[in-house]
Amino acid sequence: MAFPLPPPMRLALDLAAAASDAGEVPVGAVIARSGGVVATSANAMRTDSDPTAHAEIVAIRRAAAALGTSRLDDCDLWVTLEPCAMCAGAIALARIARLYYAAEDPKGGAVAHGPRLFGQPTCHHRPEIYAGIGAAEAAGQLRAFFATRRD
């Protein structure tokens, strides 16, 4: 029996689908606090001509602006792909309380793969981590997106 996805992950997956339609790598992110959405984003690197415009980074910037603080220590980040090293670093610096991600990224991920940033002794904040929520759908979005670019 399949269980419905938590609303923030459903929203992140919908944002990822919209990013794909816009020609961006399909990654969506939602920052929530106390059950309410604080900020949302999708990858915008091509749209904004900004290599740092990953969904997580843009969502963190928006949440910090909305809340008027650089410390998001009472917030959760829901994202459709395992964060890269840049995004994991930003998550630590923002003091995100909990990280929920869908698909693993063996090539570019930095949470369960690669540098495993949150396990490094130089990382001063480690969020609670929950992986695999919505993984099949997120991985399917990514496979479909890149399949059209390889033909």
Side-chain angles (χ1 to χ4, degrees):
M1 180 173 145
F3 294 98
L5 290 171
M9 186 58 79
R10 175 76 266 145
L11 178 54
L13 287 161
D14 292 344
L15 291 162
S20 180
D21 292 344
E24 296 281 355
V25 174
V27 178
V30 173
I31 294 182
R33 181 174 75 170
S34 302
V37 172
V38 175
T40 65
S41 183
N43 271 357
M45 295 175 295
R46 288 169 181 77
T47 303
D48 293 353
S49 299
D50 179 357
T52 70
H54 289 202
E56 302 95 309
I57 297 292
V58 176
I60 288 169
R61 289 175 182 156
R62 289 177 178 170
L67 297 174
T69 180
S70 63
R71 296 284 179 109
L72 305 177
D73 49 17
D74 55 350
C75 293
D76 302 331
L77 172 61
W78 297 77
V79 63
T80 60
L81 184 63
E82 177 184 350
C84 69
M86 174 183 70
C87 294
I91 291 164
L93 291 170
R95 307 295 197 265
I96 297 284
R98 283 164 295 280
L99 167 64
Y100 300 86
Y101 69 87
E104 290 190 343
D105 186 356
K107 290 182 181 178
V111 176
H113 298 88
R116 296 186 168 117
L117 188 110
F118 300 125
Q120 298 300 318
T122 54
C123 183
H124 300 296
H125 173 77
R126 294 163 182 83
E128 295 175 29
I129 301 168
Y130 303 91
I133 302 165
E137 185 174 344
Q141 288 177 337
L142 289 157
R143 274 192 302 276
F145 178 83
F146 287 112
T148 62
R149 272 119 186 105
R150 291 189 184 113
D151 293 338

